[in-house]
Amino acid sequence: MKSSDPGATALGEDGALHLSLGRIGLQSGAVLDDAVMVVKTFGDLNARRDNAVVIPTSFGASHRDFEWMVGRESLFDPMHHFVVIANLFGNGLSSSPSNSAAFAAGGRFPLVTAYDNALAQKYVLERFFGIRRIAVAMGWSMGGQVAWHLASLFPNDVAHLIAVCATAKTSAHNHVFLEGARAVLQTDSAYDAEAGRFVRAPERALPALGRFYAGWALSHAFYRSECWRSLGCDSLEGFLKGYWETAFAEKHADDLLSHIATWQAADIAANERHRGDLGKAIEAVRARVLLLPAGSDLYFREADVRAEATHLGDVQIATLESPWGHRAGNPVKSPSDRDFIRARVRDFISC
């Protein structure tokens, strides 16, 4: 990552740090002016500065969606680890269409890849915290893809990689799923195809995307067993409207389009170092690896996770057997999945 004029820091209302990276060069050759990365930290660095845990966020999510991972009884104890939850570019907190002055003035927001996010996060760790070696890089979904990138691009600096419901490369089937999500957004009359942006807030696209997503993020077994009742919903329609429509209504449509593009482009081999050789890019990882696929995940399929794992040396795979599909990997509402992940992660990092 090429950066100019970095260094300014601001504190958000919830204690998150807003870190100014200046003007950064991107993998595509474009630039991101006045780049900002927002991170939330927990705990303290030890004297050796080797107890850092990095958790990149996921599609449309913020650091708040991953704070459950930190705590004395959770995955990472802040008494022992310095945890950095890093907001991906495009999520509405770090630099995104919704907070970009250039985008507001009519410019296009550039493609920011998982590669770009990984380089920026590594830069932030070194520049602002003096951290070179990462004890654990862990992520779910898109965040897991960024964690994969960190371990492959900086093999000597990542001790443990934990990827939950994530692959090193977005599969063709996953790409097609995202094409559907993109189409749901872009069919709204508020979207200007020529400008490549929304000219006003969409009226129907966001709740429609919520309903679309509901069929992919969860599983057939989830709906067959009416697991939505555990969320306090008394009907399927109530679940779709009250849970999924509400969740997406709070999002910014252009931010979601930016994240769809980031997700589709994710491939740890798509860089000058590995030149498209996925096996070589995975083999570059020297970290101990824990992969946690979900057996009912509809787009980060367990078969893809296991196929990529054949290129790894020190790897453990533990499958989440859960009706919660992809959502089993971020189980705020599923205590049994949360307990499974906690036990596996704690056992893995204690070895």
Side-chain angles (χ1 to χ4, degrees), residues 2-271:
K2 297 179 180 178
S3 174
S4 63
D5 301 325
T9 304
L11 191 65
E13 293 181 358
D14 65 350
L17 298 171
H18 294 238
L19 307 177
S20 175
L21 310 186
R23 188 173 191 259
I24 64 174
L26 301 173
Q27 185 178 21
S28 67
V31 297
L32 187 59
D33 288 315
D34 301 317
V36 172
M37 178 165 285
V38 177
V39 305
K40 182 76 176 286
T41 68
F42 303 83
D44 298 299
L45 274 172
N46 61 18
R48 298 184 303 275
R49 296 182 178 271
D50 63 357
N51 65 330
V53 175
V54 181
I55 305 174
T57 60
S58 61
F59 176 73
S62 78
H63 58 271
R64 303 179 190 94
D65 298 296
F66 295 92
E67 291 183 358
W68 70 270
M69 292 184 173
V70 186
R72 294 293 299 272
E73 302 302 322
S74 193
L75 276 63
F76 303 105
D77 184 349
M79 295 296 292
H80 302 291
H81 294 101
F82 178 64
V83 182
V84 181
I85 306 178
N87 290 272
L88 298 187
F89 292 121
N91 80 333
L93 292 177
S94 293
S95 292
S96 308
S98 62
N99 59 28
S100 165
F103 187 80
R108 289 181 180 264
F109 192 80
L111 168 65
V112 185
T113 63
Y115 175 95
D116 295 319
N117 276 281
L119 264 59
Q121 289 178 21
K122 188 64 163 61
Y123 175 81
V124 161
L125 293 174
E126 294 185 0
R127 171 66 176 79
F128 292 93
F129 300 105
I131 298 168
R132 180 173 179 83
R133 185 156 174 82
I134 299 168
V136 183
M138 176 175 178
W140 169 65
S141 194
M142 274 178 68
Q145 293 185 305
V146 175
W148 263 110
H149 277 71
L150 283 167
S152 179
L153 292 169
F154 306 101
N156 295 320
D157 293 340
V158 178
H160 299 82
L161 164 64
I162 304 174
V164 187
C165 298
T167 53
K169 177 182 179 179
T170 296
S171 70
H173 180 258
N174 199 340
H175 182 96
V176 171
F177 150 65
L178 292 166
E179 281 298 297
R182 185 199 305 277
V184 170
L185 290 172
Q186 292 180 341
T187 52
D188 193 284
S189 61
Y191 181 74
D192 184 333
E194 184 175 348
R197 62 191 294 147
F198 285 85
V199 295
R200 61 182 182 278
E203 296 180 4
R204 303 181 64 180
L206 292 174
L209 182 60
R211 286 180 176 262
F212 171 84
Y213 224 88
W216 280 93
L218 300 164
S219 75
H220 178 274
F222 178 92
Y223 289 102
R224 184 182 64 240
S225 301
E226 299 185 347
C227 294
W228 39 266
R229 293 190 183 276
S230 69
L231 301 174
C233 300
D234 57 9
S235 69
L236 179 58
E237 176 59 23
F239 173 59
L240 295 175
K241 189 173 184 63
Y243 189 87
W244 286 100
E245 287 192 14
T246 299
F248 276 86
E250 299 172 354
K251 307 296 183 184
H252 189 285
D254 286 302
D255 288 350
L256 292 175
L257 286 177
S258 175
H259 262 196
I260 287 171
T262 298
W263 187 346
Q264 287 184 317
D267 179 356
I268 64 168
N271 52 65

